[in-house]
Amino acid sequence: MVPVRLRWPPGLNPRRFLAEVWQRRPMLLRGALAGITSPITADELAGLACEPEVEARIVCEQGVERPWQVSHGPFDEAAFAQLPATHWTLLVQDVDKHVPTVAALLAAFDFLPEWRLDDIMVSWAEDGGSVGPHLDEYDVFLVQVQGRRRWRIDSRPDPPSALVPDLDLRILERFESEQDWVLGPGDVLYLPPGVPHWGTAEGPCMTWSVGLRAPAWRELAADWLQHAVDTLADDGRWRDPPEMHLPAEPAELPADVTAIIRERIKAILTGADDQLFRRWLGTYLTEPKPNVVLLPPEPPWPAREVLALLLAQGCLPRDGASRLLFLPALGSGDEDLLFANGDCHALPAGHAGFLAALCRRPALEMAAAAPWLHEPRCIQLLTTLFNSGHFLTPDVASHA
Ligand code: SIN
Ligand code: CO
């Protein structure tokens, strides 16, 4: 069972959590996901780690000199057969993209904006297994799903951040444990970015890390600049001004030349209207990683069959690899936009309610969609998404 709601401890609710805890301090949420069980076993996780499109690591902790060793997937059976009995961890990234029943947990984090959610990493550790003391640059909810893990953290301001040199892993050279807990199934530990932590398996255990996404300004700027150049720069090139002066010194770069070029570049980079900028951002934020692909149903379904399925099931469960965001129109003359794995679809203003229903995790609910299904363009958009693989066909759903 994968809960789709967090159980907040007495006195705490999403509003208070965001106001007082979020990005401020770590918090242990005992039993917040009580009853959680993993839809995938350790063996199935190992199977995923053997798939070429899946990002996986094994961290082994052996010896005194160089205790942490990492190897990267895809693995084969022999790699698992060679592992020692204890002190290793298998970590698989983006399991939500590959296993829709794991992605269902993201619904429990709907008190956060969807665009900030990145992935669910699943780790399986044998007794004593750990990835060493480290810090992450993102917020994370560490969900204990099976077995027990001891977490030690250092939540002092400005903790030491020097790393052990010459390792493939980012392990802190010095780590002081300030708080120490053992988590059991259903316990959740929230950590803001930059808090040193160290989780050690107490017996075999499975942990899911719900990781947040915080795009780096450099990455955003690089993508936006390329987009602006592609869409706003004209094909022309430098032309001399009508009144050319004789140069005092032929090799001198004249001040008016630098000014003209600067102005032209500024116009390209800042010339986008709101629509263009918003379309770029939604597309950028829903663009999947290269190894994440949707599987469109083959052959495509006609609209009436998609609607019949929605009616029969009462919902259309989302595929884990589907990333949907929407942006309501800003004003009159503007459109409501839906972004779907890097594609942009537009509906006339006034359809934000339908787009919100489409984007809801873990499934599009019939009750939420029904008021819109008399509109041909809504049916068409739903059918387009279905035939791009955003929703599970019954075949896939029963195997997930
Ligand atoms: C783990 O699941 O073993 C490591 C997660 C983390 O420390 O970020
Ligand atoms: Co970490």
Side-chain angles (χ1 to χ4, degrees):
M1 193 271 287
V2 174
V4 291
R5 283 275 157 267
L6 275 188
R7 273 198 223 164
W8 295 96
L12 198 64
N13 56 38
R15 205 178 292 278
R16 273 197 79 178
F17 179 79
L18 292 183
E20 294 169 19
V21 181
W22 179 244
Q23 299 221 298
R24 290 174 176 78
R25 59 189 169 91
M27 180 173 263
L28 175 60
L29 301 163
R30 279 264 183 229
L33 288 170
I36 189 169
T37 52
S38 177
I40 52 167
T41 61
D43 278 351
E44 285 163 344
L45 189 70
L48 260 184
C50 297
E51 303 283 342
E53 74 280 8
V54 173
E55 206 183 313
R57 291 168 289 159
I58 294 175
V59 177
C60 241
E61 203 184 327
Q62 280 185 315
V64 185
E65 277 285 295
R66 202 166 273 278
W68 284 282
Q69 286 163 13
V70 63
S71 45
H72 295 273
F75 298 105
D76 53 22
E77 275 185 31
F80 288 102
Q82 281 161 12
L83 288 170
T86 62
H87 291 80
W88 60 264
T89 310
L90 164 68
L91 304 110
V92 183
Q93 217 70 45
D94 285 304
V95 176
D96 55 313
K97 314 295 186 300
H98 307 293
V99 186
T101 43
V102 170
L105 181 69
L106 294 173
F109 295 89
D110 67 358
F111 57 94
L112 297 167
E114 170 98 19
W115 78 269
R116 288 275 277 119
L117 299 177
D118 187 9
D119 78 325
I120 299 181
M121 177 181 82
V122 177
S123 73
W124 174 262
E126 290 296 335
D127 187 39
S130 97
V131 297
H134 66 280
L135 47 84
D136 297 311
E137 290 176 74
Y138 312 97
D139 305 83
V140 64
F141 293 89
L142 297 155
V143 181
Q144 196 56 30
V145 174
Q146 201 179 318
R148 288 150 64 86
R149 185 186 283 276
R150 177 180 181 198
W151 283 103
R152 281 169 284 179
I153 68 164
D154 177 1
S155 54
R156 292 169 306 167
D158 300 318
S161 58
L163 300 177
V164 177
D166 308 323
L167 273 189
D168 290 341
L169 280 171
R170 297 168 59 82
I171 308 267
L172 292 170
E173 208 163 37
R174 282 192 299 133
F175 174 78
E176 270 181 49
S177 161
E178 212 214 345
Q179 280 171 289
D180 190 333
W181 303 282
V182 175
L183 270 62
D187 293 339
V188 177
L189 175 59
Y190 163 69
L191 296 179
V195 174
H197 55 286
W198 190 358
T200 318
E202 302 218 323
C205 78
M206 185 186 276
T207 306
W208 293 11
S209 300
V210 178
L212 273 289
R213 165 183 206 195
W217 298 123
R218 271 169 200 268
E219 284 165 29
L220 284 168
D223 203 89
W224 166 248
L225 298 186
Q226 187 58 54
H227 186 73
V229 167
D230 293 344
T231 50
L232 296 171
D234 65 33
D235 291 338
R237 56 176 63 243
W238 174 266
R239 293 284 305 258
D240 289 318
E243 285 103 43
M244 281 278 279
H245 305 295
L246 270 182
E249 269 301 326
E252 184 184 344
L253 190 55
D256 58 343
V257 169
T258 55
I260 292 169
I261 292 180
R262 193 188 165 106
E263 279 314 305
R264 290 296 288 254
I265 291 177
K266 220 155 90 186
I268 294 168
L269 298 185
T270 59
D273 58 15
D274 253 354
Q275 266 288 6
L276 185 70
F277 190 79
R278 285 154 24 98
R279 278 179 184 250
W280 162 76
L281 185 59
T283 306
Y284 176 84
L285 291 175
T286 57
E287 190 68 60
K289 296 178 192 165
N291 57 339
V292 172
V293 283
L294 290 172
L295 295 175
E298 212 36 76
W301 288 38
R304 65 187 148 70
E305 283 183 24
V306 176
L307 291 180
L309 181 67
L310 173 58
L311 196 63
Q313 294 183 150
C315 70
L316 289 179
R318 282 272 292 288
D319 189 87
S322 157
R323 207 169 170 105
L324 301 180
L325 294 174
F326 75 98
L327 243 174
L330 272 188
S332 59
D334 199 4
E335 294 176 299
D336 291 331
L337 302 176
L338 176 83
F339 302 100
N341 286 40
D343 289 331
C344 176
H345 304 271
L347 285 179
H351 289 81
F354 178 58
L355 301 187
L358 285 174
C359 295
R360 273 278 159 176
R361 289 181 189 275
L364 166 67
E365 295 294 333
M366 179 61 193
W372 304 93
L373 295 180
H374 60 277
E375 284 198 50
R377 53 190 155 210
C378 291
I379 297 174
Q380 197 186 351
L381 178 55
L382 171 59
T383 308
T384 303
L385 294 179
F386 187 88
N387 285 325
S388 306
H390 287 276
F391 297 97
L392 300 176
T393 52
D395 223 1
V396 177
S398 61
H399 288 106

